[in-house]
Amino acid sequence: RKEVEQDPGPFNVPEGATVAFNCTYSNSASQSFFWYRQDCRKEPKLLMSVYSSGNEDGRFTAQLNRASQYISLLIRDSKLSDSATYLCVVNIFGDSSYKLIFGSGTRLLVRP
Amino acid sequence: GAVVSQHPSWVICKSGTSVKIECRSLDFQATTMFWYRQFPKQSLMLMATSNEGSKATYEQGVEKDKFLINHASLTLSTLTVTSAHPEDSSFYICSADVGQGYEQYFGPGTRLTVT
C-alpha cells in the first residue's frame, strides 16, 4: 500500500465549479500535512499547510481528519489558472531527520 | 520568500559520463536540503537528505556511490550522477528546509537526458 494515496483524476470541470480532492495516508505518526501544486514540467509549489482545525486561504479550503488519516482540498469558483496537478504531502520523522512523502497527484483541468 | 535555484536547468549527456547538479539557497541558509527524482507521470521520490557538513542519508534503493551528494556550505548542495545511463534520465529536483513547520521550498528542477 502506498504511504500517500490520491485519486489520479483527471478532474475535468468548467470554470466556476467547486471541486474536491481527497487523500489518505498510512503512517499514523505523520506530523504535518500539505498540499502542493505542480504545473507541467515545473517544480512543486506549496499551496497550503493543512491543520487539524481546517484552514482556508481564499478559494481554497483544506481539512484534516487524523482519526481517519484523511486529508481534503476544496477549490471553489475554479479558474482556468487552477489547472495543474495537486500533490498531497505528508511529513514523517526518520532516524535523524524528517522527510516529505508525496502522493502521486490529482490532475485538475478547468475548461472555459 | 525563500528562493532555491538549480543549475543547470537541463542537460544532455552521453552514457557513461558524470553530471553535476547544483542546488543553492539564495536568500537564506539551509542546514538541510533534499534531493528528489521524478519520472514522467509519477510523483516525486525522495532520493536523499543532505545535511551541511555531514554525510547524506540515502533512501532505500538509492545507490550512494552512483548519486554523490555534497553539502559543503549552508547555501549549496550538489548531486553528481556518476556513470550515467539512459535509465537515469529524469527530472531531478532539490528542496531546502526553511526551518518553519517542515515546509520545503523547491528548486526549479534539472531535466537530465542520458543518450
Side-chain angles (χ1 to χ4, degrees):
Chain A
R1 181 187 172 189
K2 290 182 181 178
E3 291 189 82
V4 179
E5 295 209 54
Q6 294 182 251
D7 181 341
F11 284 62
N12 191 323
V13 303
E15 264 188 298
T18 295
V19 62
F21 304 141
N22 302 319
C23 167
T24 58
Y25 60 95
S26 61
N27 191 327
S28 59
S30 301
Q31 297 292 318
S32 307
F33 310 88
F34 309 94
W35 284 100
Y36 277 76
R37 168 195 171 130
Q38 186 174 27
D39 292 288
C40 189
R41 302 175 76 86
K42 298 283 189 180
E43 76 277 20
K45 296 196 173 176
L46 180 66
L47 181 65
M48 58 197 302
S49 301
V50 187
Y51 304 115
S52 295
S53 55
N55 48 300
E56 186 175 309
D57 183 0
R59 298 182 293 110
F60 300 85
T61 300
Q63 295 277 351
L64 167 65
N65 184 322
R66 285 188 183 269
S68 302
Q69 296 180 196
Y70 171 93
I71 307 161
S72 66
L73 177 67
L74 183 77
I75 305 176
R76 291 182 298 277
D77 189 22
S78 299
K79 311 292 185 190
L80 295 176
S81 57
D82 293 335
S83 297
T85 297
Y86 290 83
L87 305 172
C88 177
V89 184
V90 171
N91 169 38
I92 62 173
F93 284 95
D95 292 335
S96 59
S97 182
Y98 75 96
K99 58 183 179 180
L100 298 184
I101 306 298
F102 284 76
S104 54
T106 299
R107 193 165 166 223
L108 172 65
L109 301 171
V110 181
R111 62 181 188 271
Chain B
V3 179
V4 177
S5 71
Q6 264 183 260
H7 177 80
S9 55
W10 61 270
V11 57
I12 301 173
C13 71
K14 292 186 176 180
S15 188
T17 61
S18 295
V19 174
K20 179 186 282 189
I21 303 170
E22 292 185 350
C23 177
R24 293 181 187 274
S25 57
L26 297 185
D27 51 358
F28 66 101
Q29 293 183 330
T31 305
T32 304
M33 289 184 173
F34 303 84
W35 286 96
Y36 296 84
R37 180 168 53 181
Q38 186 176 33
F39 292 107
K41 298 191 177 181
Q42 295 185 27
S43 192
L44 278 74
M45 295 298 294
L46 180 65
M47 298 176 67
T49 301
S50 168
N51 292 296
E52 187 267 337
S54 63
K55 291 183 179 180
T57 302
Y58 289 81
E59 293 299 300
Q60 191 173 12
V62 178
E63 300 173 59
K64 62 180 180 181
D65 295 330
K66 179 171 179 63
F67 299 99
L68 302 179
I69 292 173
N70 185 286
H71 193 161
S73 79
L74 287 171
T75 59
L76 173 64
S77 177
T78 61
L79 168 68
T80 301
V81 183
T82 63
S83 187
H85 287 94
E87 57 265 32
D88 297 324
S89 298
S90 187
F91 190 44
Y92 291 85
I93 311 174
C94 72
S95 71
D97 182 339
V98 298
Q100 297 175 13
Y102 310 109
E103 295 174 7
Q104 294 179 18
Y105 285 83
F106 287 80
T110 297
R111 198 160 298 278
L112 170 64
T113 302
V114 185
T115 61

